Structures are given as structure tokens and as C-alpha cells.
């Protein structure tokens, strides 16, 4: 017996009739979400899946260059992927090899929470975990209104070339819901490459320098900004949806001008 679910891109995915028991995750944040919820079901993850820190599963290379043979060899009942982090080519070839892949689309907090509720409730058939209910309570309160803006920020995610968080991103939406307004939120690109002088002169009250995907440190990043104060922040708490979102609330609340 099997059942069919439809992913965020409209593809039909055939799954066992009942809870999924073997999962490979190609998305670090979803790896953490699955591991925190039902670790025994997670059989494979990427090299970039760093949380939980004691996670001991088969590694299948990176998010954009997964070892497809290794993934198939784990005989997963489901592979989790997202449009932003994983390549369409890998999804197509895994499916052609008979591996079921569910692809999510996450460009906002609402999409992240909705996608995770679908993953756990409908796709994995595990039910919505307590941590996810808490995440919705924090970030998508019923009848809640956006908080008053308290600071303008810029968020580089790479240097050489410098790249920043632009429009239509989960990170930008997360910041806004914490009262932090991204000065590049209206840029036509999601992650534009800009001269650092433009970032420094964009009118931000503070530049947030995360430790991933580029690992900014006290000695690598702040020295490039002569006009705008900088603050080192957790990249995981800015960019990962899942259990990290519960921690992100207090982390971002502590950002002061």
C-alpha cells in the first residue's frame, strides 16, 4: 500500500502507507528538525548538516553536489529537499532512479512554518511536534501585527565578492518580524553582489555579520566597515528554519543599535 502527496512545486511523491521510517535530508535545517523530532528515522544527511552536533548518520556530500548513488543506497522512503538549496538536476535524477523526493519552497517565515507543518503532519505522518507549535506561536502569532521597527540592518552572507540578503528571503522576513528592517529588502535580487562601500553607505544602523555561509569573525569582516557599526551573529539562527527558530527569537531581540 502507498499514498501520494504533492510537494510545493506540484510534483506527486509516492510514500508508504503510514509513518515514514527512513529519511535522507539534503537540507541542514530540515536535518536538525527531523533529528530533534525522530532521530532514529534519519539515515542520511549532507556534510553541511552540523546540528544536532552529535548527529551520527551516513553523509552524502553537499547540498548542491550530493552523492546520488549513496543516497539511493540508503533506501530512503523519502528524501527532503528545498528549491533554494538543492539542484533540480539532482532531484530529477534521484526520482528517475526510483527515489521519492519532496521539494519545499521557503522564501518567508510563513512558508517555512507551513512547509514544516506539512512535512511532519502530512508527508512524514508523524504529527506536528511541540517545538514546531512553539515556533508558530513565536513567529506567526494568531491575529498578531508586525512589531514596530527598531533598527535598520544589512546582512552580508559572503565577501570577495560581497553579497547581502536582498528581497524575498526567509532571513529578511525573519528580521522584519523581529523589528529589524533589511535596508536591501527592496533590491530586485535575492542575494545581490554589491561593493562593500555601498553596503557601508546604505543607511543601516548596524551590519550583522553571520558565521555562515561565510564565516565572519572579529578579525574578518568588521574592518571593512568604516561608517556602520557591526555585530557578529549566528548564521544558523538567521538562516535555518526548524528548532533554530525558537532560539532565534531571543538572539535577534538582543540586537541593539
Amino acid at each position: 500500500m502507498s499514498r501520494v502527496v504533492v510537494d510545493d512545486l506540484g510534483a506527486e511523491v509516492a510514500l508508504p502507507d503510514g509513518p515514514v521510517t527512513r529519511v535522507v535530508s539534503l537540507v541542514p535545517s530540515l536535518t536538525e528538525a527531523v533529528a530533534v523530532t525522530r532521530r532514529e528515522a534519519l539515515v542520511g544527511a549532507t556534510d553541511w548538516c552540523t546540528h544536532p552536533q552529535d548527529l551520527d548518520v551516513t553523509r552524502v556530500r553537499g547540498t548542491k553536489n550530493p552523492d546520488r548513488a549513496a543516497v539511493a543506497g540508503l533506501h530512503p522512503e523519502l528524501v527532503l529537499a528545498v528549491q533554494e538549496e538543492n539542484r533540480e538536476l539532482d532531484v530529477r535524477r534521484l526520482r528517475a532512479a526510483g527515489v521519492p523526493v519532496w521539494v519545499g519552497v521557503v522564501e518567508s517565515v510563513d512558508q517555512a512554518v507551513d512547509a514544516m507543518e506539512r512535512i511532519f503532519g502530512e508527508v512524514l505522518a508523524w504529527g506536528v511536534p511541540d517545538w514546531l507549535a512553539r515556533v508558530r506561536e513565536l513567529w506567526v502569532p494568531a491575529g498578531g501585527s508586525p512589531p514596530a521597527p527598531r533598527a535598520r540592518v544589512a546582512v552580508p552572507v559572503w565577501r570577495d565578492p560581497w553579497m547581502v540578503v536582498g528581497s524575498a528571503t526567509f532571513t529578511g522576513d525573519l528580521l522584519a518580524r523581529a523589528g529589524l528592517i533589511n535596508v536591501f529588502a527592496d533590491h530586485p535580487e535575492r542575494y545581490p553582489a554589491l561593493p562593500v562601500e555601498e553596503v557601508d553607505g546604505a543607511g543601516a544602523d548596524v551590519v550583522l555579520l553571520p558565521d555562515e555561509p561565510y564565516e565572519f569573525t572579529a578579525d574578518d569582516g568588521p574592518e571593512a566597515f568604516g561608517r556602520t557599526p557591526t555585530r557578529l551573529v549566528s548564521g544558523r539562527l538567521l538562516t535555518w528554519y526548524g528548532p533554530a527558530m525558537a532560539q532565534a527569537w531571543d538572539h535577534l531581540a538582543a540586537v541593539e543599535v
Side-chain angles (χ1 to χ4, degrees):
M1 297 290 292
S2 64
R3 56 192 171 94
V4 175
V5 298
V6 178
D7 72 9
D8 285 351
L9 295 178
E12 293 187 345
V13 184
L15 296 172
D17 187 16
V20 173
T21 62
R22 294 183 65 81
V23 180
V24 171
S25 172
L26 302 181
V27 186
S29 51
L30 293 182
T31 297
E32 180 181 28
V34 170
V36 165
T37 305
R38 193 172 294 191
R39 184 175 296 209
E40 68 275 12
L42 187 67
V43 296
T46 75
D47 295 342
W48 295 102
C49 296
T50 57
H51 286 75
Q53 293 180 331
D54 62 346
L55 184 63
D56 182 17
V57 296
T58 299
R59 301 293 175 161
V60 295
R61 229 160 43 203
T63 57
K64 299 189 185 301
N65 66 334
D67 184 336
R68 293 188 298 270
V71 172
L74 290 170
H75 305 290
E77 294 175 343
L78 179 67
V79 172
L80 291 173
V82 291
Q83 186 180 43
E84 180 174 53
E85 295 191 53
N86 306 117
R87 301 189 308 169
E88 181 184 2
L89 173 66
D90 294 315
V91 172
R92 287 204 320 266
R93 291 187 174 174
L94 283 168
R95 285 174 173 166
V99 178
V101 184
W102 190 92
V103 181
V105 176
V106 176
E107 296 180 353
S108 70
V109 170
D110 282 342
Q111 284 183 325
V113 175
D114 288 346
M116 289 187 294
E117 288 179 344
R118 285 192 63 205
I119 288 170
F120 287 101
E122 176 187 351
V123 181
L124 296 173
W126 295 352
V128 176
D130 291 344
W131 65 260
L132 183 49
R134 175 59 176 160
V135 164
R136 175 172 283 281
E137 180 183 336
L138 286 171
W139 291 103
V140 194
S145 57
R150 56 189 172 87
R152 290 165 54 83
V153 301
V155 186
V157 293
W158 204 258
R159 71 177 299 177
D160 300 327
W162 285 86
M163 299 177 70
V164 299
V165 173
S167 58
T169 65
F170 166 80
T171 297
D173 191 20
L174 193 80
L175 291 168
R177 292 175 191 235
L180 304 173
I181 303 304
N182 177 17
V183 295
F184 294 107
D186 294 327
H187 195 282
E189 298 179 27
R190 299 184 70 227
Y191 295 100
L194 301 172
V196 68
E197 295 80 12
E198 186 173 340
V199 181
D200 197 15
D205 297 309
V206 62
V207 172
L208 303 181
L209 297 174
D211 56 7
E212 63 172 86
Y214 185 92
E215 188 177 1
F216 289 105
T217 67
D219 300 319
D220 185 358
E223 80 290 343
F225 296 89
R227 299 173 59 182
T228 315
T230 62
R231 176 168 180 152
L232 299 175
V233 295
S234 166
R236 171 174 163 267
L237 299 187
L238 280 186
T239 62
W240 288 34
Y241 29 93
M245 292 177 70
Q247 301 171 43
W249 183 264
D250 290 336
H251 187 69
L252 292 176
V255 174
E256 299 178 353
V257 179

Coordinates of all heavy atoms in Angstrom, one line a residue, residues 1 7 18 31 33 38 44-45 52 64 66-67 81 115-116 131 133 140 151 153 159 199 209 215 228 242 253:
M1 N 0.8 -1.2 0.0 CA 0.0 0.0 0.0 C 0.9 1.3 0.0 O 2.0 1.2 0.6 CB -0.9 0.0 1.2 CG -1.9 -1.1 1.3 SD -3.2 -1.0 0.0 CE -4.0 0.5 0.6
D7 N 4.2 17.9 -3.5 CA 5.2 18.8 -2.9 C 4.9 20.3 -3.3 O 3.9 20.6 -4.0 CB 6.6 18.4 -3.2 CG 7.1 18.7 -4.6 OD1 6.4 19.4 -5.4 OD2 8.2 18.2 -5.0
G18 N 1.5 5.1 5.9 CA 1.8 5.1 7.3 C 3.0 6.0 7.5 O 3.5 6.6 6.6
T31 N 17.3 18.7 8.4 CA 18.0 17.6 9.1 C 17.9 17.8 10.6 O 17.6 16.8 11.3 CB 19.5 17.6 8.7 OG1 19.6 17.4 7.3 CG2 20.3 16.6 9.5
A33 N 15.6 19.5 12.2 CA 14.2 19.3 12.5 C 13.8 17.9 12.6 O 13.2 17.5 13.6 CB 13.3 20.1 11.5
R38 N 12.5 12.8 15.5 CA 12.5 11.4 15.5 C 13.9 10.9 14.9 O 14.0 10.5 13.7 CB 11.4 10.8 14.7 CG 11.1 9.4 14.9 CD 9.8 8.9 14.2 NE 8.6 9.4 14.8 CZ 7.4 9.0 14.6 NH1 7.2 8.1 13.8 NH2 6.4 9.6 15.2
G44 N 20.4 9.5 6.6 CA 21.5 10.2 5.8 C 21.3 11.7 5.8 O 20.2 12.2 5.9
A45 N 22.4 12.4 5.7 CA 22.4 13.9 5.7 C 23.6 14.4 4.9 O 24.6 13.6 4.7 CB 22.3 14.4 7.1
P52 N 21.8 18.4 14.9 CA 22.5 18.4 16.2 C 24.0 18.0 16.1 O 24.4 17.3 15.2 CB 21.8 17.3 17.0 CG 20.4 17.1 16.3 CD 20.7 17.4 14.9
K64 N 24.5 20.8 -2.8 CA 24.5 21.1 -4.3 C 25.3 20.1 -5.1 O 25.3 20.2 -6.3 CB 24.9 22.5 -4.6 CG 24.1 23.6 -3.9 CD 24.4 24.9 -4.4 CE 23.5 26.0 -3.7 NZ 22.1 25.8 -3.8
P66 N 25.2 16.3 -4.1 CA 25.0 15.1 -3.3 C 25.5 13.9 -4.1 O 25.4 13.8 -5.3 CB 23.5 15.1 -3.0 CG 22.9 15.8 -4.2 CD 23.9 16.9 -4.4
D67 N 25.9 12.9 -3.3 CA 26.3 11.6 -3.9 C 25.0 10.8 -4.1 O 24.5 10.2 -3.2 CB 27.3 10.9 -3.0 CG 27.8 9.6 -3.6 OD1 27.1 9.0 -4.4 OD2 28.8 9.1 -3.1
A81 N 14.2 17.9 0.3 CA 15.0 18.9 -0.4 C 14.2 20.3 -0.4 O 13.0 20.3 -0.2 CB 15.3 18.5 -1.9
A115 N 5.5 24.8 5.5 CA 6.1 23.7 4.9 C 6.5 22.6 6.0 O 6.3 21.4 5.8 CB 7.4 24.1 4.2
M116 N 7.0 23.1 7.1 CA 7.3 22.1 8.2 C 6.1 21.4 8.8 O 6.2 20.2 9.1 CB 8.2 22.8 9.3 CG 9.6 23.2 8.8 SD 10.6 23.8 10.1 CE 9.8 25.4 10.5
W131 N 8.0 21.4 19.4 CA 8.9 22.6 19.1 C 8.3 23.4 18.0 O 8.5 24.6 17.9 CB 10.3 22.1 18.8 CG 10.5 21.2 17.6 CD1 10.6 19.9 17.6 CD2 10.5 21.7 16.3 NE1 10.7 19.4 16.3 CE2 10.7 20.5 15.5 CE3 10.5 22.9 15.7 CZ2 10.8 20.6 14.1 CZ3 10.6 23.0 14.3 CH2 10.8 21.9 13.5
A133 N 5.1 23.8 17.1 CA 4.0 24.6 17.6 C 4.5 25.8 18.4 O 3.9 26.9 18.2 CB 3.1 23.7 18.6
V140 N 4.5 33.4 14.1 CA 3.3 33.6 13.4 C 2.1 33.7 14.3 O 1.2 32.8 14.3 CB 3.1 32.5 12.3 CG1 2.0 32.9 11.3 CG2 4.4 32.1 11.6
A151 N 15.3 49.0 14.3 CA 16.7 49.2 13.7 C 16.7 48.8 12.3 O 15.9 48.0 11.8 CB 17.7 48.4 14.5
V153 N 19.1 47.2 9.3 CA 20.3 46.4 9.3 C 20.6 46.0 7.8 O 19.8 46.0 6.9 CB 20.0 45.1 10.1 CG1 19.7 45.4 11.5 CG2 18.9 44.2 9.4
R159 N 31.9 37.4 1.2 CA 32.8 38.5 0.8 C 33.7 38.0 -0.3 O 33.9 36.8 -0.4 CB 33.5 39.1 2.0 CG 34.6 38.2 2.5 CD 35.4 38.9 3.7 NE 36.0 40.2 3.2 CZ 36.7 41.0 4.1 NH1 36.7 40.8 5.4 NH2 37.2 42.1 3.6
V199 N 27.3 48.8 0.7 CA 26.7 48.2 1.9 C 27.0 49.1 3.1 O 26.1 49.4 3.9 CB 27.3 46.8 2.2 CG1 26.7 46.2 3.4 CG2 27.2 45.9 0.9
L209 N 26.9 40.4 10.9 CA 27.9 39.6 10.2 C 27.8 38.1 10.7 O 28.2 37.8 11.8 CB 29.3 40.1 10.4 CG 29.6 41.5 9.9 CD1 31.0 41.9 10.3 CD2 29.5 41.4 8.3
E215 N 32.1 32.6 7.0 CA 32.4 32.7 8.5 C 33.1 34.0 8.8 O 34.3 34.1 8.9 CB 33.3 31.5 8.9 CG 33.5 31.4 10.4 CD 34.3 30.2 10.9 OE1 34.8 29.4 10.0 OE2 34.5 30.0 12.1
T228 N 29.6 52.2 9.5 CA 28.4 51.5 10.1 C 29.0 50.5 11.2 O 29.9 49.7 10.9 CB 27.6 50.7 9.1 OG1 27.4 51.5 7.9 CG2 26.3 50.2 9.7
G242 N 13.3 25.7 11.5 CA 13.3 24.5 12.3 C 13.5 24.9 13.8 O 13.1 26.0 14.2
A253 N 16.3 39.5 19.4 CA 15.8 40.5 20.4 C 17.0 41.2 21.1 O 16.9 42.3 21.5 CB 14.9 39.9 21.4

